[in-house]
Amino acid sequence: MTDAPDRPRHTARYFSGNADSTADGRLFAPVFGRNFPAVLAALAPWLSGRSGAVLEIGCGTGQHAASFALAFPNLSWWPSDPDAGHRASARAWAAELGAPARAPLALDAATDWATDTAVTTLGPLSAVVSMNVIHIAPYAVTSGIINGAAQCLQADGLLIFYGPFIETGQPTTAGNASFDAGLRAENPAWGLRDVTDIRREAAALGLGFAALIAMPANNRLLIFRKE
Ligand SMILES: C[S@@+](CC[C@H](N)C(=O)[O-])C[C@H]1O[C@@H](n2cnc3c(N)ncnc32)[C@H](O)[C@@H]1O
């Protein structure tokens, strides 16, 4: 995999220069292996009784998408990412792990993605999931995910964010504060997002707060339910 010179910096996390990759295009996020078991255990009560389509926004390597597809066979888990290399990796991970082959959507969450026919053909969504995305992207991506989810989710559908957050006006730990400062130094439009802002935007669009779950490594699951 080669890095196109005009690729936006927000997709730099898994480029060949800073990530292992294989000939089939699979990319590896080392943190996946450390955090996935806890994320799976925490989401099982929310997802295992569901059916229908789940749209994952910013799938990155696609390790989560393939693993969730296998863990929740009643759900049709659709990965998406604006980066072609990440979509190729998601396809390759599904093949490697024997997960259903679902062509990853080329979706930029800062756009009006809910009206994209690639999304509307999935039907009303059972869940929209976005992990480790909104702090490494402009705030328009946070708003875009909330807006799109409000349009696409079925009644009772879930919007699920995972990652580090600001709560009560502060990053939750000194480590997260330093991570936040580093992100903002790299790109002033990036940074940890405040749960209060997300809750306010979601509530205004009919997405009721359902849970804020503490996870290992100072991460959180932030879950909303369409009313
Ligand atoms: C740090 S990676 C996280 C990937 C994966 N969800 C995970 O947890 O390993 C951030 C991902 O967000 C994607 N991303 C960045 N901007 C985006 C946007 N505007 N819309 C959708 N995804 C975006 C990047 O391409 C990248 O794959």
Side-chain angles (χ1 to χ4, degrees), residues 10-11 13-14 29 56-60 64 81-83 86 107-110 131-133 136-137 141:
H10 70 240
T11 60
R13 287 298 189 272
Y14 308 133
E56 182 183 347
I57 294 182
C59 70
H64 285 116
D81 203 285
D83 184 271
H86 296 181
L107 188 155
D108 179 345
M131 309 179 66
N132 299 313
V133 172
I136 314 180
V141 169

